[in-house]
C-alpha cells in the first residue's frame, strides 16, 4: 500500500467544540501522514476565524452546504446530524479513512488500514436489536450485516466509497426505520450500503472507545 495514496477525511461545522477538537486530531494525524492527504469538508454554520484556522493546518478545505435536513442523533439532544459523512464519497482515492473531530491518533494508523477488506469499522457500543435490525435488511433485500459500525472512524478500500454513494444517499433520504440507542440514520444507511462488500471489524486496540471508559495502553485511535 502506497501511504501517499491514502486520503483522510473529516467533516466540521462551527458548532460546539468541533474546531478545537479538529486541531488536536489533525495535529496527531500529521505524525503519520502529510496535511495534503487530509480533507476537511466544512459545512454550515461557517465562521471566518474557524475557516482560517483550518487553512492554517495545511489541509484541503472544501466548503459545502449540508447534505440533508437536520436530525437528532440522540433523543435528548438537538439536531446534530446533516448527512455530512457522505461527503467522503467525493474523494477521488482508492482508500479513504474517515475520522470524527473528537479522535486522537496516537499510534500508527496504517496498521489499521493494512489488510484485505473493502470496509472496516468497529462495532458500535450499543450493539443492535437483532430482530429489528434483521428486518431492516430484509425490507431492503440486502445481505444481513449483524453489527453496526461506530461512526467516528471507518475505512473504505478498493474505491467502494464511490460505488455506494447513490445507494447510501437514497437510504439516508428515505429515512431508515430503525432506532436503537439513538437515531444514527447516517450510519444505519451506510450499513445497508456496504453490507454486501468484504467487511472487517476493528479491535478495541485499533479504535478505543474512551467515551465508554475503555482503558487501552497501546491503542491507535482514541475516540
Amino acid at each position: 500500500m502506497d501511504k501517499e495514496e491514502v486520503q483522510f477525511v473529516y467533516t466540521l461545522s462551527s458548532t460546539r467544540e468541533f474546531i478545537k477538537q479538529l486541531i488536536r486530531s489533525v495535529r496527531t494525524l500529521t505524525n503519520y501522514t502529510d496535511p495534503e492527504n487530509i480533507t476537511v469538508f466544512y459545512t454550515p454554520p461557517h465562521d471566518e476565524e474557524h475557516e482560517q484556522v483550518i487553512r492554517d493546518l495545511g489541509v484541503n478545505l472544501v466548503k459545502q452546504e449540508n447534505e440533508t435536513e437536520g436530525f437528532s442523533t440522540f433523543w435528548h439532544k438537538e439536531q446534530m446530524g446533516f448527512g455530512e459523512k457522505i461527503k467522503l464519497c467525493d474523494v477521488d482515492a482508492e482508500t479513504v479513512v474517515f475520522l470524527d473531530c473528537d479522535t486522537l491518533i496516537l499510534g500508527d494508523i496504517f496498521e489499521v488500514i493494512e489488510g484485505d477488506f473493502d470496509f472496516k469499522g468497529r462495532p458500535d457500543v450499543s450493539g443492535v436489536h437483532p430482530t429489528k435490525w434483521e428486518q431492516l435488511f430484509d425490507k431492503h433485500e440486502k445481505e444481513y450485516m449483524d453489527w453496526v459500525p461506530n461512526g467516528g472512524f471507518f475505512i473504505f478500500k478498493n474505491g467502494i466509497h464511490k460505488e455506494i454513494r447513490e445507494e447510501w444517499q437514497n437510504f439516508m433520504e428515505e429515512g431508515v426505520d430503525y432506532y436503537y440507542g439513538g437515531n444514527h440514520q447516517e450510519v444505519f444507511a451506510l450499513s445497508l450500503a456496504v453490507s454486501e462488500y468484504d467487511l472487517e471489524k476493528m479491535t478495541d486496540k485499533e479504535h478505543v472507545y474512551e467515551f465508554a471508559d475503555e482503558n487501552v495502553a497501546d491503542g491507535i485511535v482514541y475516540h
Side-chain angles (χ1 to χ4, degrees):
M1 176 180 59
D2 186 342
K3 293 183 178 181
E4 292 303 312
E5 294 180 359
V6 177
Q7 293 294 308
F8 297 85
V9 173
Y10 293 87
T11 60
L12 170 77
S13 64
S14 287
T15 55
R16 294 178 289 280
E17 300 292 309
F18 288 160
I19 188 65
K20 295 178 182 178
Q21 294 172 345
L22 178 74
I23 294 168
R24 290 191 289 267
S25 186
V26 169
R27 291 289 298 275
T28 60
L29 178 58
T30 51
N31 288 320
Y32 304 96
T33 192
D34 294 330
E36 54 262 33
N37 297 325
I38 304 170
T39 297
V40 175
F41 288 100
Y42 185 40
T43 56
H46 298 128
D47 178 280
E48 289 185 4
E49 179 183 348
H50 291 176
E51 184 174 341
Q52 186 57 52
V53 169
I54 298 168
R55 295 187 188 282
D56 289 344
L57 288 170
V59 301
N60 305 307
L61 171 64
V62 181
K63 195 173 180 180
Q64 291 193 338
E65 296 302 310
N66 288 323
E67 195 72 27
T68 67
E69 295 296 321
F71 57 89
S72 299
T73 53
F74 294 97
W75 306 123
H76 61 287
K77 293 185 179 180
E78 74 274 22
Q79 291 182 339
M80 296 176 64
F82 295 90
E84 64 273 8
K85 287 180 172 62
I86 203 171
K87 305 288 187 183
L88 66 85
C89 295
D90 299 329
V91 175
D92 187 19
E94 289 300 293
T95 300
V96 171
V97 179
F98 178 85
L99 292 159
D100 265 350
C101 293
D102 60 344
T103 53
L104 295 176
I105 298 80
L106 302 181
D108 186 353
I109 195 169
F110 287 95
E111 291 182 18
V112 191
I113 301 171
E114 289 286 355
D116 185 17
F117 59 86
D118 294 320
F119 175 83
K120 189 174 184 179
R122 185 175 172 198
D124 193 73
V125 67
S126 60
V128 297
H129 185 290
T131 302
K132 293 181 179 179
W133 188 239
E134 190 166 0
Q135 288 172 347
L136 176 66
F137 287 79
D138 288 343
K139 174 184 176 181
H140 294 285
E141 299 182 333
K142 300 294 291 183
E143 185 174 328
Y144 182 55
M145 176 180 177
D146 64 357
W147 56 288
V148 58
N150 179 273
F153 173 34
F154 38 65
I155 302 165
F156 299 86
K157 297 181 77 171
N158 305 314
I160 73 154
H161 61 291
K162 292 176 278 188
E163 297 177 13
I164 68 167
R165 192 192 204 289
E166 183 176 357
E167 195 168 43
W168 186 4
Q169 177 100 31
N170 290 342
F171 286 138
M172 194 160 49
E173 290 180 350
E174 173 187 327
V176 177
D177 187 22
Y178 173 85
Y179 307 108
Y180 182 65
N183 176 16
H184 301 285
Q185 68 178 41
E186 189 174 36
V187 179
F188 299 154
L190 172 63
S191 301
L192 288 169
V194 301
S195 67
E196 296 174 359
Y197 289 89
D198 186 3
L199 311 177
E200 185 171 320
K201 297 177 183 178
M202 292 178 187
T203 67
D204 58 357
K205 173 183 174 179
E206 292 174 325
H207 185 180
V208 183
Y209 290 161
E210 270 198 338
F211 62 84
D213 294 325
E214 291 184 350
N215 299 300
V216 181
D218 60 347
I220 296 174
V221 172
Y222 288 81
H223 185 189

